[in-house]
Amino acid sequence: MDIRLPEHVRQIRETVARFVDREMPRSAAADWDARNHFPRDVFARLAQLGVMGLTVPQEYGGHGRDILATMVVIEELSRRSLAVSVPYIMSACYAGMNLVDCGSEAQKRALLPRVVDGSLIFAYGWTEPDVGADLASVKTRARRDGDWIEITGAKRFCSGADIADYIYALVRTGDEAARYKNLSIVLIPPDAPGVSISRIESLGMKGAATTDVVFEQVRVPLENVMGGEAGWDNGWSMIVGSGLDVEKLEVAAIATGVARAALEDAWSYVHERRQFGRAIGEYQSIQHKLANMKTQLHAARLMLYHAANLADARESAGVETSMAKLFATEMAKTVVLECQTIFGAYGYVKSLDVERYVRDALLLPIIGGSSAVQRNNIFKWSSQPAAAL
C-alpha cells in the first residue's frame, strides 16, 4: 500500500503552508481566539487559492472530488487556527459535499459556484437540547404550507450559525414514531424572521462560535428543502451516507494539525529552555517524550490519509474512518497535554499558543461522533474481525 502524497497534494500543502505563514500569523490567531472572531477577510483570500473547490465537480467550477487534498488543507490551517479551518470545513465540506451528494440540480447550479468562490458557508443544525448522537429523535418540526415550509423548534451546539449563510437543519416532518422515515433537511437563513441565535461560551474552537438557535414559526420556500421535492421525508439517507465518513476525517485532520503545532512548539522549546546548566532537550526523558509523540502523530496521519484515499475511491470506509477519528483525536489530546507538561508553568499561561492547543484538543474526541460512538461503530461494523486481521 503506497500512502505517499501525490505531487499535486504536496503542492497544495506547500501553498497552504505559505498562506498560513503569510496571512495567519501567530499574533492574529491569538487575537481571533481571544475575541471568538471569524476573520472573513482572511477566509476570502484563502478562497482565492482555489482550495474551496476541492469537493466540487468541474462542471460547477471546482476541481473535482479530492478528499485527501481537502484533509491536507484542513490539517495545515488547523496547525495555526481553528477560526479559519472550521469555516473552511463549513464551506468546502458541509456546503460543498452535501450539495453534491444530496442537492437538487437547481440547488447545485445555484449554490456550488458560491462554495468555490468562498461565499457560501453551512452550519450544521442537527443536535438539540435533548438530542445528541440519536439524531432520529429530533423534535424540531417542519410543516408544509403550500409552497412554503414553517419550522418551529431549537438546535443546540450549532457551531458557526452566526457566520453561516444557511443552517443545514435536520427537522421532523411527520409522526415521531416513524423516526427515520419522516425527517428532512431544510436550508434556513440565519437572518430569516423568527430565527434567534445566542452564543454558548465554550472552552475552545473559537471563531466559529458555538450557538443555540431557536426557530419560531420560521418560513422558508419549499425550494429550500435539500434535494428539492424528492428530499421531503428523505433526510435520514442524506446524513448517513459517505458525508458522515468524511465528517469523521475532517475532525481527524483538525486533530492532526493541532497536535503537530503543539509538537513543533515543544520541539523548539526544549532546545531553548535551560535548567541545571543545559537545555532540557538534552535530558533523555524529554527526548523519549518527543519521540513517542512524533510516532503517535505519524501513525495518526497515516490512518487519516489511508481512510481519505478510501473515501476518494468511494469505497466502504466506515470502520477505517471511525478508527482514524478515534485514534487521531485521542492522540491529539494526549500529545497536546504532554506538550503542555514540557512547557511547565509556561504551558498554562495564555501568552503561549500551547494553552489554546489544549482547549481545542479537549473538544475533538467529542465532536463528529464521540470516541465512545466510534468504538461502538468499529466493533459493530467489523463483522469478521479474524478475516480483517
Side-chain angles (χ1 to χ4, degrees), residues 14-210:
E14 292 170 1
T15 298
V16 176
R18 289 193 297 270
F19 176 89
V20 167
D21 290 340
R22 183 179 68 251
E23 303 286 351
M24 299 169 57
R26 287 177 180 263
S27 58
D31 176 65
W32 302 334
D33 176 75
R35 294 191 291 130
N36 204 357
H37 171 70
F38 167 49
R40 195 173 290 274
D41 56 337
V42 175
F43 189 77
R45 291 194 290 276
L46 175 66
Q48 293 173 4
L49 300 180
V51 294
M52 314 302 297
L54 291 171
T55 59
V56 178
Q58 292 181 357
E59 63 186 291
Y60 303 104
H63 300 292
R65 180 185 172 99
D66 195 332
I67 303 303
L68 178 59
T70 302
M71 297 306 115
V72 167
V73 172
I74 295 169
E75 178 188 340
E76 287 297 325
L77 294 175
S78 299
R79 180 174 61 89
R80 183 57 49 83
S81 175
L82 270 60
V84 179
S85 68
V86 172
Y88 173 77
I89 292 170
M90 294 167 65
S91 180
C93 301
Y94 290 5
M97 291 193 64
N98 283 303
L99 283 165
V100 170
D101 291 345
C102 308
S104 67
E105 185 59 32
Q107 289 167 340
K108 292 177 184 179
R109 296 203 175 277
L111 297 177
L112 283 175
R114 292 184 55 194
V115 173
V116 176
D117 68 21
S119 65
L120 185 69
I121 293 176
F122 280 8
Y124 272 176
W126 290 5
T127 60
E128 298 182 356
D130 295 318
V131 177
D134 183 15
L135 292 175
S137 296
V138 295
K139 296 179 174 59
T140 298
R141 301 193 67 86
R143 67 176 186 87
R144 296 178 64 165
D145 181 15
D147 292 332
W148 291 85
I149 306 295
E150 184 176 282
I151 305 103
T152 298
K155 297 293 177 179
R156 174 148 290 175
F157 303 127
C158 187
S159 298
D162 57 357
I163 66 170
D165 299 282
Y166 290 104
I167 298 169
Y168 191 75
L170 182 67
V171 298
R172 173 75 56 198
T173 46
D175 184 4
E176 289 185 20
R179 284 177 63 78
Y180 306 101
K181 297 180 180 179
N182 52 22
L183 298 169
S184 302
I185 294 175
V186 181
L187 304 181
I188 304 174
D191 58 356
V195 178
S196 58
I197 300 173
S198 57
R199 289 191 170 190
I200 302 171
E201 288 302 317
S202 59
L203 194 64
M205 203 180 83
K206 305 295 186 177
T210 302

Side-chain angles (χ1 to χ4, degrees), residues 180-373:
Y180 306 101
K181 297 180 180 179
N182 52 22
L183 298 169
S184 302
I185 294 175
V186 181
L187 304 181
I188 304 174
D191 58 356
V195 178
S196 58
I197 300 173
S198 57
R199 289 191 170 190
I200 302 171
E201 288 302 317
S202 59
L203 194 64
M205 203 180 83
K206 305 295 186 177
T210 302
T211 71
D212 275 331
V213 181
V214 176
F215 305 117
E216 296 183 277
Q217 296 181 316
V218 178
R219 292 174 65 83
V220 299
L222 182 61
E223 64 191 32
N224 282 32
V225 174
M226 195 64 168
E229 184 77 24
W232 189 256
D233 285 342
N234 197 32
W236 186 252
S237 65
M238 297 181 184
I239 66 173
V240 297
S242 62
L244 192 60
D245 282 340
V246 176
E247 184 187 4
K248 291 180 281 185
L249 298 183
E250 295 154 14
V251 183
I254 294 174
T256 304
V258 172
R260 178 180 152 205
L263 182 56
E264 288 174 352
D265 286 3
W267 210 286
S268 297
Y269 180 76
V270 301
H271 293 95
E272 300 166 359
R273 176 66 167 169
R274 299 183 67 82
Q275 288 287 283
F276 304 103
R278 56 177 173 165
I280 63 173
E282 296 181 24
Y283 293 101
Q284 190 180 66
S285 62
I286 296 294
Q287 294 171 356
H288 285 185
K289 287 179 185 290
L290 295 171
N292 286 338
M293 290 189 287
K294 186 176 178 65
T295 301
Q296 290 175 294
L297 176 60
H298 183 65
R301 183 181 281 123
L302 295 181
M303 293 179 71
L304 169 64
Y305 293 175
H306 173 241
N309 276 319
L310 293 177
D312 262 329
R314 294 189 179 274
E315 295 184 25
S316 177
V319 172
E320 289 82 1
T321 55
S322 284
M323 290 192 297
K325 199 275 180 183
L326 171 65
F327 187 84
T329 57
E330 294 292 345
M331 174 279 300
K333 183 170 68 172
T334 299
V335 165
V336 168
L337 288 172
E338 189 73 279
C339 288
Q340 186 186 44
T341 300
I342 289 175
F343 274 89
Y346 289 104
Y348 197 66
V349 299
K350 287 185 175 291
S351 60
L352 292 185
D353 293 337
V354 67
E355 182 269 346
R356 182 176 77 251
Y357 304 151
V358 170
R359 289 187 283 108
D360 287 339
L362 291 176
L363 173 67
L364 300 177
I366 301 171
I367 61 173
S370 70
S371 290
V373 168

